[in-house]
Amino acid sequence: MEEAEGLRRRITELAGQLQACEQRLSRLVITRETLAEIDAEAGPGDPGPESEVAALHPVSGSASPIGAVVVPQREPGMDPAVVLPGDYLDILEVLADAGEGGLRAGKVAAGLGVPVEDRSKVEGVRAKLKRLAARGWADQQATGLFTVAR
């Protein structure tokens, strides 16, 4: 009897988890469809007005769960305040305050108020720094120092 009651409770709990998961999945599908519609409306070669939504270009093989580039490739005339998410802007601000010498990921994390004792958080900052460097917003020196791209 107790075992059967325990299994019934577990089934109810799992059913609730399944429903929540299906709702999240449904929202992701709707978001993906919306992004595809926005991209189709913009047309090829026409990214539309500079906005956070226009900065989300679907990319196959992207690491993003919705298939969008959060940090676009830097092009002349792009305003980072318009196309970059806030956390990436904060990183660029810390780098700009450092001047020409550059900073390592740990110092950038400290400048952001991230607890440097938590190595996983510092590694998250390092990943963002590398993403900024790969897309032309920052420069990475062989010594591990990062600066704002000029």
Side-chain angles (χ1 to χ4, degrees), residues 58-143:
V59 175
S60 62
S62 169
S64 171
I66 60 170
V69 175
V70 177
V71 179
Q73 185 67 37
R74 182 178 178 205
E75 296 177 13
M78 286 181 102
D79 181 3
V82 173
V83 298
L84 292 178
D87 49 346
Y88 288 90
L89 286 173
D90 293 342
I91 290 171
L92 288 179
E93 186 177 315
V94 170
L95 291 176
D97 290 345
E100 298 296 318
L103 294 174
R104 295 186 188 285
K107 294 287 185 182
V108 173
L112 294 170
V114 172
V116 294
E117 303 81 33
D118 187 347
R119 298 308 301 165
S120 65
K121 301 245 188 244
V122 174
E123 290 305 314
V125 171
R126 184 183 326 278
K128 289 180 180 182
L129 283 162
K130 288 181 177 260
R131 190 169 298 119
L132 285 168
R135 307 249 168 78
W137 295 96
D139 291 323
Q140 179 181 6
Q141 300 171 11
T143 59

Side-chain angles (χ1 to χ4, degrees), residues 8-96:
R8 283 187 193 94
R9 279 193 303 271
R10 184 72 178 136
I11 288 171
T12 302
E13 178 184 318
L14 289 173
Q17 290 176 358
L18 177 61
Q19 182 179 13
C21 183
E22 287 174 339
Q23 288 173 346
R24 284 192 308 272
L25 179 60
S26 174
R27 288 193 307 268
L28 285 173
V29 168
I30 292 168
T31 301
R32 179 168 284 179
E33 290 170 354
T34 303
L35 286 171
E37 288 173 10
I38 290 170
D39 189 49
E41 288 173 7
D46 177 19
E50 286 189 354
S51 69
E52 287 184 270
V53 174
L56 298 174
H57 299 289
V59 175
S60 62
S62 169
S64 171
I66 60 170
V69 175
V70 177
V71 179
Q73 185 67 37
R74 182 178 178 205
E75 296 177 13
M78 286 181 102
D79 181 3
V82 173
V83 298
L84 292 178
D87 49 346
Y88 288 90
L89 286 173
D90 293 342
I91 290 171
L92 288 179
E93 186 177 315
V94 170
L95 291 176

